[in-house]
Amino acid sequence: MPKVLTRISSVTMQKNTLPTALRFMHSTGDVAFQLSASHAGGIIDNRGATGAMMVTLPGARKGAEFHFIVVEAQELRIHPHSNTGRIECDIAGTWTNNPAGEYVDANAGGEFLHLVCKGSDTWMAIAFGGTWSAEN
């Protein structure tokens, strides 16, 4: 069972940068968090994590963007909004339209994923780094 999120901080960025930086931190164990459409454009990282971080994308408008960065060597798992949602990205060197409702994840510092909503809970990676895996 995921533990409670203990701290959320939001920082406004300087002019000509991303509009919001979101850092979701927890002290121990696993944590789950549901993003909202108001978080769009944010940078989500796992700095300070000592366990897995599971993030669920929101039901968002077409064009909404999210940036994910693995800072700690802990799993950062990204779920689509619904059981019919999809995430399209490079999985182990192959472009994949992930099966409906399944997550993608990474767990090494420096890995990142930039997702854009194509509409109808379908997300596409427009930039990524490192090795991302699909739910098995």
Side-chain angles (χ1 to χ4, degrees), residues 14-51:
Q14 299 298 317
K15 185 177 179 181
N16 298 325
T17 63
L18 295 173
T20 310
L22 304 172
R23 182 160 292 135
F24 300 97
M25 300 175 68
H26 59 288
S27 56
T28 59
D30 296 347
V31 66
F33 189 78
Q34 170 71 53
L35 292 172
S36 70
S38 67
H39 294 131
I43 300 168
I44 298 94
D45 72 35
N46 69 343
R47 185 179 311 276
T50 60

Side-chain angles (χ1 to χ4, degrees), residues 6-7 11 23-24 27-28 30 55 58-59 66 73 104 121 128 132:
T6 58
R7 187 166 120 190
V11 178
R23 182 160 292 135
F24 300 97
S27 56
T28 59
D30 296 347
V55 178
F66 289 91
V104 297
D121 199 19
F128 71 96
W132 287 80

Side-chain angles (χ1 to χ4, degrees), residues 73-119:
Q74 299 289 338
E75 180 184 26
L76 175 56
R77 182 184 296 178
I78 306 165
H79 293 267
H81 178 69
S82 68
N83 289 338
T84 58
R86 294 179 180 273
I87 299 173
E88 298 176 21
C89 66
D90 184 289
I91 302 294
T94 302
W95 188 259
T96 304
N97 188 354
N98 217 26
E102 293 191 0
Y103 64 79
V104 297
D105 69 341
N107 63 7
E111 294 175 315
F112 67 92
L113 186 64
H114 179 176
L115 293 175
V116 175
C117 184
K118 293 173 56 179

